[in-house]
Amino acid sequence: MELCKAAIGRRLRAMREAQGLSQAEVARMAGLGRTAYVQYETGVHLPQPEGAVALCMALGYTMDWIYRGETFGMPLGLLSKLARDEIPSEP
């Protein structure tokens, strides 16, 4: 399965917005540069494993959520925040 940068970016944006965070806040919390995070969210670049792990550790995401859109293992509190919006998946 080819990774879709745009779908990954949509998931990252949906989660960030559901948590009421800015791009700068997410980047800071995960120890990433703001520019790098913005490029992930806008689909310019795929998150490298180190960046994805940092997002998972800081914000409760899972690698399966970031790369595949799978919700298994995601904290229920995060999923409930997404429930009011459609969870973005692969096109």
Side-chain angles (χ1 to χ4, degrees):
M1 175 181 89
E2 181 180 334
L3 295 175
C4 178
K5 292 186 274 189
I8 290 170
R10 284 192 301 271
R11 284 191 289 274
L12 292 174
R13 180 179 179 175
M15 184 61 77
R16 175 182 61 78
E17 289 177 346
Q19 292 178 289
L21 299 170
S22 70
Q23 291 174 329
E25 288 171 318
V26 170
R28 181 184 46 75
M29 292 169 70
L32 301 170
R34 184 184 173 283
T35 301
Y37 178 77
V38 169
Q39 290 176 342
Y40 299 158
E41 193 175 289
T42 58
V44 173
H45 293 293
L46 284 173
Q48 294 302 308
E50 300 83 13
V53 167
L55 289 166
C56 292
M57 299 284 291
L59 298 159
Y61 305 170
T62 65
M63 296 291 272
D64 280 339
W65 166 254
I66 292 173
Y67 288 111
R68 300 179 341 145
E70 297 290 328
T71 59
F72 181 77
M74 289 283 286
L76 293 178
L78 290 178
L79 290 177
S80 67
K81 290 180 182 180
L82 284 175
R84 60 184 164 227
D85 300 321
E86 182 178 325
I87 297 175
S89 60
E90 296 295 326

